[in-house]
Amino acid sequence: MSRKTNKICKQSGVIPYRVRDGKIEVLLISTRKRQSWVIPKGGVCKGMTLPDSAAKEAWEEAGVVGQVNTEKIGVYQYHKRGNIYRVNLFLLPVEQVLEDWPEATQRERIWLDINHAAMIVKGNSLKRILQTSQDQVKIRNQKRKNSGVRSQNV
């Protein structure tokens, strides 16, 4: 008997974040059926880099805009409809929260403390990446402050 091999689909996604009153908050979005909370992610667009494709997903699915950090912070996998999806994750310091965006009618969004967000997302790998990203966000924020870039409260 031969074993069925699952197709591996490459995706990219972001952890959109902001710092409010010294606390790191991340933006989660609902799945289209509003069954669970996830991060913005999707298939990599032909001709786009992973970070650029991730930025596009953030705009389409969550209505947030910012400069995606090009350093990958992790990779996780999930299964859906017989395929394996491998998601390359990047940090997105949110500069603008839009009132209207392509999937506004299909999704909800919520800002949460990073630890709370890690508790409610599905998938242990994603939970771990969220938990460990907290230190990376702190380091990046400190670098931004030291370079004179002001962080925005969005």
Side-chain angles (χ1 to χ4, degrees):
M1 254 197 322
S2 66
R3 201 173 119 163
K4 181 184 172 194
T5 54
N6 292 345
K7 181 179 175 188
I8 297 178
C9 304
K10 191 175 189 180
Q11 292 191 322
S12 62
V14 294
I15 297 175
Y17 75 91
R18 66 184 180 189
V19 179
R20 277 255 169 110
D21 301 322
K23 292 186 173 82
I24 301 165
E25 295 179 332
V26 297
L27 182 70
L28 296 181
I29 58 171
S30 66
T31 56
R32 282 197 177 108
K33 294 182 181 178
R34 298 191 164 119
Q35 294 174 327
S36 58
W37 294 101
V38 296
I39 50 99
K41 65 184 173 350
V44 179
C45 298
K46 189 173 182 165
M48 291 182 88
T49 64
L50 291 171
D52 288 344
S53 191
K56 181 176 139 319
E57 294 299 331
W59 167 70
E60 286 178 353
E61 295 184 353
V64 291
V65 178
Q67 186 64 47
V68 173
N69 190 287
T70 57
E71 185 181 321
K72 184 171 27 174
I73 61 163
V75 177
Y76 76 97
Q77 293 185 166
Y78 67 96
H79 296 79
K80 184 176 175 181
R81 293 189 208 111
N83 294 322
I84 298 170
Y85 292 83
R86 185 170 293 145
V87 184
N88 296 274
L89 272 181
F90 301 87
L91 287 173
L92 172 67
V94 174
E95 296 167 9
Q96 190 177 7
V97 180
L98 305 172
E99 293 301 315
D100 189 30
W101 67 98
E103 296 184 15
T105 60
Q106 300 169 40
R107 299 181 187 272
E108 294 177 39
R109 58 185 181 185
I110 186 170
W111 287 100
L112 295 170
D113 168 87
I114 196 165
N115 294 313
H116 187 198
M119 285 191 294
I120 68 168
V121 295
K122 282 186 173 179
N124 289 332
S125 296
L126 180 55
K127 288 177 188 293
R128 274 193 299 279
I129 293 169
L130 273 167
Q131 290 164 337
T132 59
S133 69
Q134 187 166 222
D135 291 334
Q136 293 178 11
V137 168
K138 287 177 184 174
I139 291 167
R140 290 187 203 309
N141 255 17
Q142 193 57 49
K143 284 181 183 176
R144 288 178 71 165
K145 283 180 186 175
N146 292 342
S147 69
V149 176
R150 290 177 15 141
S151 76
Q152 298 175 318
N153 278 343
V154 273

